[in-house]
Amino acid sequence: ALSDYKAMLERVNTALKSSVLIAMPASVGVFVLAGPILRLLFKVDEFAQTTTDILRIGAITVLFFSVSTLSVGLLQGLGHVGVPVRSALKAIAIKVAFNFLVFYAFNLNLYGAAYANIVFSAASAYFNLSAVVRLTRVKLPYVELFGRPAVASVLMGGMAFLTYLVADIFLPNGTLGNAVATLLAILVAMVVYFVLI
């Protein structure tokens, strides 16, 4: 509204960086600690491995949905309220086509639904972020935006996994031991990620 192009570019960059800095480690953390987190929150049953696998697959959508949601906010703030609707319709069309593929061609059942969510969230993020770049002509520093948080998140995930494995060896089996090991792994992950970033 003020035609302050420089401020707009700075805010778009800052908003995207902030979103990715939080969503990337969250996605990796849920992926790495899916089993322990599920055991922390729910009673373990005979479907534990299936639910763990599905949560791991679904963890990938955390980053995509975060970027997509933020991009929608940016587009609406810029006055382009119709663009996110068109992006959502295109992403839904892709997801419907993918659903037919995973459910009927490959018969993947619940796994297929999880994979379809990845496709939908990735398509939605791509269409919305592309629109932000096109409409603002912002030059995003993709390496800094995604590369550095990705490297830090992977290293953080490795440390979280190792911390959980070591703590699980020394702590008693059962709900309390898993809870302490999981929370300790999350704490170590937070410290490691903060230091790396």
Side-chain angles (χ1 to χ4, degrees):
L2 297 172
S3 299
D4 190 346
Y5 185 70
K6 185 181 176 187
M8 180 197 69
L9 295 183
E10 286 174 2
R11 287 174 187 160
V12 167
N13 266 311
T14 302
L16 284 167
K17 276 184 192 174
S18 302
S19 181
V20 171
L21 280 173
I22 295 168
M24 186 84 73
S27 186
V28 171
V30 172
F31 182 88
V32 169
L33 297 174
I37 289 169
L38 284 172
R39 285 194 295 279
L40 177 69
L41 299 174
F42 305 105
K43 185 180 177 184
V44 176
D45 59 15
E46 67 269 24
F47 302 110
Q49 189 56 53
T50 303
T51 48
T52 299
D53 291 343
I54 290 170
L55 182 58
R56 276 200 181 109
I57 295 166
I60 298 166
T61 65
V62 171
L63 175 63
F64 292 137
F65 275 129
S66 295
V67 170
S68 177
T69 303
L70 179 71
S71 299
V72 168
L74 291 170
L75 289 166
Q76 290 175 341
L78 292 165
H80 299 283
V81 293
V83 175
V85 176
R86 290 191 292 276
S87 295
L89 290 173
K90 289 188 280 188
I92 288 169
I94 291 169
K95 182 182 179 181
V96 168
F98 192 78
N99 275 344
F100 278 107
L101 186 67
V102 295
F103 287 119
Y104 296 110
F106 296 108
N107 197 26
L108 292 176
N109 299 324
L110 287 173
Y111 291 98
Y115 289 128
N117 273 340
I118 292 175
V119 169
F120 172 73
S121 63
S124 184
Y126 172 76
F127 291 134
N128 286 319
L129 187 58
S130 295
V132 169
V133 171
R134 186 179 72 251
L135 293 168
T136 62
R137 299 186 304 281
V138 64
K139 288 181 173 38
L140 293 177
Y142 288 103
V143 172
E144 187 181 336
L145 186 61
F146 294 105
R148 289 178 184 172
V151 171
S153 295
V154 168
L155 293 172
M156 174 214 75
M159 284 301 299
F161 185 69
L162 284 174
T163 301
Y164 179 82
L165 287 181
V166 171
D168 195 45
I169 291 168
F170 294 104
L171 291 167
N173 289 335
T175 306
L176 182 61
N178 176 68
V180 172
T182 303
L183 295 173
L184 183 62
I186 292 170
L187 181 64
V188 167
M190 289 168 58
V191 172
V192 168
Y193 184 72
F194 179 77
V195 169
L196 289 171
I197 285 297

